[in-house]
């Protein structure tokens, strides 16, 4: 086993000892109770089964058959979640075949960041994660279930479902994905059209045509952003049916995998090979998720989300843990935006199973963990699923080599010996940077700062030709307390245009850029944020700023006396009003007041 992997795991375990012990004690107390229908009053049971068919009532009440809860994030606004419309009926059919029952325990909201990015609605996105977690808790609060199937894929939905499920840590749980959409216009071609539009060289009609060719059907978007990173991490945590992540929604194998999820869950409920999710998600499991993220150049959002996920299981991690692992975890995948391939090409080359197999063989991942597969460790996830003639799922061993070395490589010959994420620190605070897509000659940028308090103001300056020089663009007052920490994707095309003209360009922000951030160096999630008195609020136009992924530096090159004497800039009353009013943002005021920092997981429930 890799020495650093073991050291990071050990220090996480030591740091988390007290909180993890409290968490496991709660699981044990909940697990010792009688099953729901035996424990609850007659009126409670009658309400729970009132609308079920008589045969299901008989199974639950008289036969005491296993009873599963379904928590679904279905809506047909999200292309990735549209296939879930038919899943409850499919799941009920399979549980009946297995002599069990299932109910949809509840639905949770699921918003599409692609629809809301650049609009005020995006300011609800990060907080939707904790809303989903609460919705999951409400659904499972009926407390009649032996296990739960969790239906969700996209950006905040999987972390929210997982956080909610971990607060019911005594329940066995299996996540059920639906797969990516087929390949359309390539991500590189889409990005080129966006840059042309930003320069005014093509119009809205051409831009919409390109976007519609890229996003064109059911399934997740095909770039390796937060949604697809979610699926990679769940595979590495052993919470899926092995290999379920990237099979297309309408592939015959997809139905077989969904039915297998039912059988898999029934195999790990109490009185069988009991594997509650709170035991599955231990320190080693969390480290495996971190390693999978780094080895594939995944979404920077997970440096926020998985801190919150871990905390839900009584485990305390921070960005230093990610940084230390990144120094020893090889980069095995090149998927857009840190390559030209899309997620379908990643899957065809070997997908998550190939990555997990390589990491296990090289000692860069814990193999001796519990998973949601009865009797299996993580090695079960290093195989490829196939649909047998009878409709069941079988698995075959992973090939020794990638079928496309431009997309996937072995641990012995990686794209880089280190992971795709770096920690930055200095007198501007702590931040993260995704370097897997950034050319090496851009890993260090030192230039005068241009300060903006909104992405809209930056776009106006770009259109007016005010940024035609080497520049560090600083967009502040974008943190969780200020406005919910929206993703700032509207900044990417103009910054890419400036970089394409040969200027040295970097972005520094206390906002987010997600897994879709591109080739422009971006120091993001700066903590503490400007609104809470963070040092970004001390910066002034013209200050030289150094962003260096090589040395891990995020520094304003201002003499110490001047820096210490600087007043903290304040957010304007107009911005406070605009950040808090309209589109339901008033309902999230309490979350903005109570939220922790980005490095602490932007948690709102503590």
């Amino acid at each position: 086993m890799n020495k650093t992997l073991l050291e990071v795991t050990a220090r996480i375990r030591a740091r988390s000892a007290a909180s993890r012990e409290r968490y496991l004690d709660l699981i044990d107390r909940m697990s010792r109770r009688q099953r729901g229908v035996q424990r609850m009053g007659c009126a409670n049971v009658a309400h729970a089964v009132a609308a079920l068919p008589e045969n299901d009532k008989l199974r639950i009440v008289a036969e005491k058959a296993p009873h599963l809860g379904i928590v679904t994030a279905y809506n047909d606004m999200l292309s990735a979640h549209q296939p879930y419309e038919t899943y409850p009926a499919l799941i009920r059919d399979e549980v009946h075949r297995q002599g069990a029952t299932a109910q949809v325990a509840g639905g949770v909201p699921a918003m599409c960041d692609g629809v809301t990015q650049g609009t005020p609605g995006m300011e609800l996105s990060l907080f939707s994660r904790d809303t989903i977690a609460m919705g999951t808790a409400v659904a499972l609060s009926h407390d009649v279930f032996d296990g739960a199937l969790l239906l969700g894929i996209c950006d905040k939905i999987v972390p929210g479902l997982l956080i909610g499920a971990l607060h019911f840590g005594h329940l066995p749980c299996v996540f059920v994905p639906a797969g990516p959409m087929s390949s359309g216009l390539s991500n590189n071609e889409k990005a080129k059209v966006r840059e042309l539009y930003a320069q005014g060289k093509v119009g809205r009609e051409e831009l919409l045509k390109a976007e519609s060719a890229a996003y064109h059907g059911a399934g997740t978007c095909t770039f390796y952003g937060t949604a697809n990173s979610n699926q990679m991490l769940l595979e590495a945590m052993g919470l899926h049916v092995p290999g379920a992540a990237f099979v297309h929604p309408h592939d015959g194998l997809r139905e077989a995998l969904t039915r297998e999820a039912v059988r898999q869950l029934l195999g790990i409920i109490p009185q069988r090979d009991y594997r509650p999710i709170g035991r599955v998600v231990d320190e080693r499991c969390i480290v495996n998720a971190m390693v999978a993220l780094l080895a594939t150049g995944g979404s920077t959002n997970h440096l926020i989300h998985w801190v919150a996920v871990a905390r839900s299981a009584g485990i305390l991690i921070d960005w230093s843990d990610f940084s230390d692992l990144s120094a020893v975890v090889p980069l095995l995948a090149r998927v857009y935006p840190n390559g030209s391939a899309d997620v379908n090409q990643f899957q065809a080359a070997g997908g998550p199973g190939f990555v997990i197999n390589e990491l296990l063989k090289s000692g860069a991942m814990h193999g001796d963990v519990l998973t949601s597969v009865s009797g299996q460790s993580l090695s079960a996830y290093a195989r490829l699923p196939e649909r047998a003639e009878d409709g069941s799922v079988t698995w075959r061993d992973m090939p020794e080599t990638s079928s496309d070395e431009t997309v996937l490589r072995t641990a012995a010959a990686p794209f880089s010996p280190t992971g795709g994420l770096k920690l930055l620190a200095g007198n501007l605070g702590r931040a993260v940077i995704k370097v897997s897509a950034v050319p090496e000659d851009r890993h260090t940028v030192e230039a005068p700062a241009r300060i903006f308090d909104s992405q809209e103001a930056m776009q106006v300056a770009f259109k007016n030709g005010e940024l035609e020089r080497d520049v560090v663009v600083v967009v502040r007052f974008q943190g969780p307390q200020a406005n919910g920490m929206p993703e700032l994707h509207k900044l990417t095309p103009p910054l890419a245009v400036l970089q394409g003209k040969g200027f040295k360009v970097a972005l520094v922000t206390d906002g987010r850029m997600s897994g879709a951030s591109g080739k422009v160096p971006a120091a993001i999630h700066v903590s503490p944020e400007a609104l809470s008195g963070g040092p970004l609020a001390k910066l002034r136009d013209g200050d030289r700023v150094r962003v260096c992924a090589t040395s891990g530096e995020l520094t304003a090159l201002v003499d110490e006396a001047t820096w210490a004497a600087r007043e903290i800039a304040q957010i304007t009353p107009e911005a406070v009003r605009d950040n808090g009013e309209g589109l339901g943002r008033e309902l999230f005021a309490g979350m903005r007041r109570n939220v922790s920092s980005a490095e602490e997981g932007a948690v709102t429930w503590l």
Side-chain angles (χ1 to χ4, degrees):
M1 292 290 290
N2 182 279
K3 180 182 176 183
T4 300
L5 180 88
L6 295 174
E7 289 174 349
V8 171
T9 306
R11 80 176 181 221
I12 291 171
R13 185 176 289 113
R15 184 193 304 145
S16 310
S19 54
R20 181 66 175 170
E21 183 180 6
R22 288 194 299 272
Y23 179 77
L24 294 178
D25 178 67
L26 176 61
I27 289 177
D28 289 342
R29 285 188 280 120
M30 298 295 284
S31 299
R32 287 193 294 267
R33 302 176 307 157
Q34 287 185 307
R35 293 181 62 236
V37 294
Q38 296 165 275
R39 183 183 67 253
M40 299 172 73
C42 293
N44 305 92
V45 175
H47 275 288
V49 302
L52 289 176
E54 290 301 320
N55 284 345
D56 281 358
K57 291 180 183 180
L58 178 67
R59 282 178 174 152
I60 292 171
V61 177
E63 297 177 1
K64 299 179 176 58
H67 187 47
L68 308 182
I70 304 166
V71 182
T72 178
Y74 162 72
N75 66 48
D76 56 15
M77 173 62 72
L78 279 77
S79 60
H81 287 198
Q82 183 270 344
Y84 284 140
E85 183 175 10
T86 61
Y87 275 41
L90 176 63
I91 290 168
R92 288 191 196 97
D93 179 68
E94 186 59 36
V95 295
H96 289 154
R97 294 186 186 195
Q98 303 301 321
T101 54
Q103 286 177 296
V104 174
V108 298
M111 62 183 289
C112 179
D113 290 356
V115 174
T116 58
Q117 64 180 250
T119 75
M122 175 58 89
E123 294 175 13
L124 306 185
S125 175
L126 179 61
F127 292 145
S128 77
R129 183 199 71 193
D130 290 5
T131 305
I132 291 162
M134 290 186 284
T136 303
V138 170
L140 297 178
S141 69
H142 297 107
D143 202 21
V144 296
F145 306 112
D146 298 301
L149 293 158
L150 303 165
L151 278 56
I153 296 174
C154 286
D155 294 22
K156 314 307 171 297
I157 295 93
V158 163
L161 288 168
L162 184 49
I163 289 167
L166 285 168
H167 282 85
F168 284 74
H170 61 287
L171 286 179
C173 295
V174 174
F175 279 77
V176 185
M181 70 175 69
S182 59
S183 301
L185 181 71
S186 75
N187 289 293
N188 282 330
E189 290 301 314
K190 175 191 67 180
K192 288 178 185 176
V193 177
R194 287 179 176 178
E195 290 175 22
L196 291 171
Y197 180 77
Q199 298 173 80
K201 294 181 178 180
V202 301
R204 178 180 171 85
E205 183 177 347
E206 289 176 77
L207 178 63
L208 180 58
K209 182 179 178 181
E211 299 285 2
S212 298
Y215 308 115
H216 60 87
T220 57
C221 308
T222 60
F223 60 85
Y224 194 53
T226 308
N228 287 322
S229 297
N230 281 337
Q231 305 311 300
M232 180 70 228
L233 269 60
L234 289 181
E235 293 270 344
M237 295 174 78
L239 295 175
H240 274 168
V241 172
F246 299 129
V247 175
H248 283 265
H250 305 301
D251 189 312
L253 178 58
R254 172 55 63 197
E255 178 179 334
L257 288 165
T258 301
R259 290 184 180 276
E260 180 62 25
V262 173
R263 296 190 289 269
Q264 181 172 298
L265 181 57
L266 288 171
I268 60 172
I269 61 173
Q271 288 81 52
R272 299 185 182 177
D273 183 13
Y274 181 43
R275 297 189 176 202
I277 191 171
R279 290 281 182 183
V280 171
V281 180
D282 65 5
E283 296 88 350
R284 297 166 301 168
C285 178
I286 290 293
V287 168
N288 282 349
M290 298 162 74
V291 167
L293 181 74
L294 296 165
T296 55
S299 170
T300 53
N301 272 328
H302 292 314
L303 276 80
I304 300 173
H305 295 323
W306 251 250
V307 174
V309 166
R311 182 178 288 272
S312 299
I315 300 167
L316 306 179
I317 62 173
D318 60 32
W319 290 348
S320 294
D321 299 325
F322 279 98
S323 182
D324 289 351
L325 288 171
S326 186
V328 299
V329 171
L331 181 67
L332 304 183
R334 286 278 189 207
V335 191
Y336 188 88
N338 74 324
S340 60
D342 68 12
V343 74
N344 293 312
Q345 292 166 281
F346 172 63
Q347 174 72 1
F354 186 88
V355 172
I356 292 169
N357 191 45
E358 287 299 309
L359 292 170
L360 288 173
K361 287 194 303 182
S362 64
M365 190 173 266
H366 294 284
D368 57 336
V369 292
L370 281 176
T371 71
S372 58
V373 183
S374 178
Q376 295 289 320
S377 64
L378 195 62
S379 60
Y381 289 79
R383 296 180 295 165
L384 289 169
E386 295 179 332
R387 186 172 183 269
E389 290 185 8
D390 63 0
S392 64
V393 183
T394 60
W395 286 267
R396 59 182 172 87
D397 290 339
M398 189 64 57
E400 290 296 316
T401 58
S402 163
S403 64
D404 187 344
E405 292 193 349
T406 67
V407 180
L408 266 180
R409 289 189 183 173
T410 64
F415 292 103
S416 167
T418 61
L421 298 169
K422 297 269 189 170
L423 172 67
L424 304 180
N427 64 3
L428 289 176
R430 284 162 67 89
V432 295
I433 185 170
K434 183 175 180 177
V435 294
S436 52
V438 178
E440 286 192 21
D441 64 347
R442 302 282 172 164
H443 283 195
T444 300
V445 175
E446 184 180 313
R450 179 67 191 274
I451 315 298
F452 301 96
D453 290 350
S454 71
Q455 60 179 331
E456 293 78 15
M458 181 272 182
Q459 289 175 302
V460 170
F462 170 77
K463 290 177 181 177
N464 291 339
E466 299 173 20
L467 302 177
E468 300 277 323
R469 54 186 170 82
D470 291 353
V471 63
V472 174
V473 172
V474 178
V475 185
R476 64 191 180 188
F477 297 116
Q478 304 299 306
Q481 292 181 28
N483 62 354
M485 204 180 188
E487 291 179 351
L488 306 176
H489 287 313
K490 295 295 184 182
L491 301 177
T492 302
L495 290 170
V497 168
L498 294 172
Q499 183 169 274
K501 291 182 177 181
F503 297 118
K504 285 274 193 174
V505 179
L507 172 69
V508 177
T509 181
D510 49 9
R512 294 185 294 128
M513 288 289 283
S514 176
S517 51
K519 294 177 172 55
V520 176
I524 59 177
H525 308 170
V526 176
S527 297
E529 65 176 285
L531 188 70
S532 66
L536 282 190
K538 286 188 172 187
L539 271 178
R540 301 292 184 264
D541 281 336
D543 288 342
R544 288 194 71 81
V545 172
R546 181 176 176 85
V547 179
C548 183
T550 304
S551 64
E553 187 177 355
L554 179 62
T555 307
L557 303 177
V558 179
D559 70 82
E560 290 185 17
T562 301
W563 189 250
R566 284 259 179 99
E567 291 187 4
I568 299 291
Q570 302 296 315
I571 191 170
T572 67
E574 293 78 15
V576 172
R577 182 196 64 223
D578 291 344
N579 290 346
E581 295 180 356
L583 292 178
R585 285 177 288 178
E586 301 88 344
L587 296 170
F588 293 78
M591 287 185 164
R592 290 193 295 274
R593 283 194 299 270
N594 296 324
V595 67
S596 66
S597 71
E599 185 168 8
E600 295 169 314
V603 170
T604 63
W605 70 81
L606 296 176

